[in-house]
Amino acid sequence: MKTIDSKSLSSFAPTSTLRVGINLGNPILASEDSTSKNVYGVTIDIANEIGKRISMPVQLIPFKTASATVDAVKTGDIDLVFVAIDPVRGADISYTPAYIQIEGAYMAKANSPLKRNDEVDIAGNEIVVGKGSAYDLYLTREIKNATLLRSVSSQTVIDDFMSGKGNVAAGVKQQLESDAKRYEGLRMLPGRFMVINQAIGIPKARPNYESTNVYLSNVITELKQSGFIAEAMKRHNIQGAKVAE
């Protein structure tokens, strides 16, 4: 087991508490108990394991969207986040290797003429996406002909879609499938339009962030190889994702 030196540790968690941003916008990563408001999931298990390894208390700070956690990193209010690897976010965030891979998918209404993913990027189509999400950033780069309509968050995409916004919904496959259970007349287009690599991110604004990243990258590698990530996914009944290679 690798250790972290004192200088890197002070840079990593300057308040002597590891402040972790938890993204509740993706149920594969984390969820919140509706009664107790306690958060649970794979990312909470990883955060607590890191806290144990560096002998530091962990403060879990929930956010409704991934973009909100990224903003908190930029302001220095949190020390560590669990977000999708993206080059735009990478300007401010240093990533470890991915620990989970998630599929991004399209959903259409049952009577839609759309049958395949390659039929989506056509002039006249309107794709509803969660503002600032990993797939929003990806589609912003990749979509050339269709129009993106941004919903407030990943959780509101299907509600906006069913209220008449757009003719395609985009998001994390599991999130779309879960939200679609509240409605009738929806179907997923086969396959995926992207693979979302989820990783630990830390702020590049901190001194010694490079050495901290090396430490955390070693931790993630160990947790994947030991079966820790796979066991956490099984424990939390995570479907639609796999341990990253």
Side-chain angles (χ1 to χ4, degrees), residues 3-222:
T3 58
I4 186 170
D5 64 86
S6 58
K7 186 180 292 186
S8 296
L9 185 58
S10 296
S11 166
F12 179 30
T15 65
S16 297
T17 293
L18 182 59
R19 300 169 299 173
V20 180
I22 299 298
N23 173 24
L24 296 177
N26 186 340
I28 289 177
L29 305 182
S31 298
E32 183 180 63
D33 185 273
S34 58
T35 303
S36 68
K37 300 301 180 182
N38 290 331
V39 292
Y40 59 93
V42 175
T43 55
I44 285 79
D45 293 350
I46 297 173
N48 287 330
E49 176 64 18
I50 292 171
K52 186 171 88 172
R53 291 186 179 213
I54 63 175
S55 301
M56 190 172 287
V58 175
Q59 181 184 6
L60 302 173
I61 305 172
F63 294 87
K64 295 298 184 183
T65 65
S67 59
T69 66
V70 172
D71 289 341
V73 166
K74 292 178 181 178
T75 58
D77 294 330
I78 55 179
D79 309 312
L80 179 153
V81 291
F82 296 93
V83 291
I85 297 174
D86 183 88
V88 174
R89 294 173 179 167
D92 302 291
I93 295 176
S94 178
Y95 298 109
T96 66
Y99 61 92
I100 281 180
Q101 290 183 326
I102 301 170
E103 294 182 336
Y106 291 126
M107 181 166 277
K109 293 179 181 175
N111 60 358
S112 171
L114 295 172
K115 304 296 183 184
R116 305 189 311 270
N117 288 337
D118 60 10
E119 298 173 340
V120 172
D121 190 14
I122 295 173
N125 284 337
E126 295 180 326
I127 308 167
V128 185
V129 301
K131 184 178 180 181
S133 63
Y135 53 92
D136 177 16
L137 299 176
Y138 174 84
L139 293 174
T140 296
R141 294 191 298 272
E142 298 297 323
I143 292 296
K144 307 303 180 186
N145 303 296
T147 301
L148 298 180
L149 304 179
R150 291 175 175 83
S151 189
V152 172
S153 68
S154 299
Q155 299 100 315
T156 60
V157 165
I158 290 299
D159 291 333
D160 284 350
F161 183 52
M162 293 306 293
S163 71
K165 190 174 184 178
N167 66 315
V168 185
V172 173
K173 183 178 287 188
Q174 189 186 49
Q175 178 85 55
L176 292 177
E177 289 173 337
S178 175
D179 291 342
K181 292 176 182 178
R182 297 184 279 109
Y183 297 98
E184 294 182 355
L186 290 170
R187 59 181 171 80
M188 195 80 71
L189 297 191
R192 65 196 186 197
F193 65 82
M194 72 176 295
V195 172
I196 303 168
N197 287 298
Q198 293 285 340
I200 288 176
I202 58 173
K204 285 184 175 179
R206 301 276 176 85
N208 301 99
Y209 79 86
E210 296 99 334
S211 59
T212 301
N213 181 277
V214 169
Y215 171 76
L216 292 173
S217 296
N218 287 329
V219 170
I220 283 298
T221 298
E222 289 179 14

